[in-house]
Amino acid sequence: MEELLCNIEFEKDENGYSAKLRTDMGGLREYNGMTLEEVMNEVILELQEEFSP
C-alpha cells in the first residue's frame, strides 16, 4: 500500500528559488534561497529531522 508522505513544490522567479513543503506532521512550510541547491538542502534537512527514527 502506498502512503503520501509529503508534497513539495519548487518555483523560480527573479528573486531566486522557493520551495513549499507540506507534510501531515509539520504542515506547510516555505523555504527561499538564491540557488536551487540551497533550497533543496533546507528541504532535505527538514525531511530528515521529521522522518528520522
Side-chain angles (χ1 to χ4, degrees):
M1 179 166 68
E2 291 182 19
E3 179 183 354
L4 181 63
L5 297 177
C6 69
N7 185 336
I8 307 169
E9 296 178 22
F10 291 97
E11 296 181 0
K12 180 184 179 199
D13 62 20
E14 63 276 351
N15 297 319
Y17 294 86
S18 65
K20 293 179 182 174
L21 170 63
R22 182 185 305 272
T23 64
D24 285 341
M25 292 190 306
L28 178 63
R29 290 151 287 179
E30 190 167 340
Y31 305 92
N32 300 291
M34 294 305 297
T35 66
L36 181 58
E37 181 179 17
E38 179 183 347
V39 174
M40 288 182 72
N41 284 335
E42 290 183 49
V43 170
I44 290 167
L45 287 172
E46 187 72 24
L47 289 172
Q48 286 176 333
E49 288 177 10
E50 189 168 324
F51 291 105
S52 291

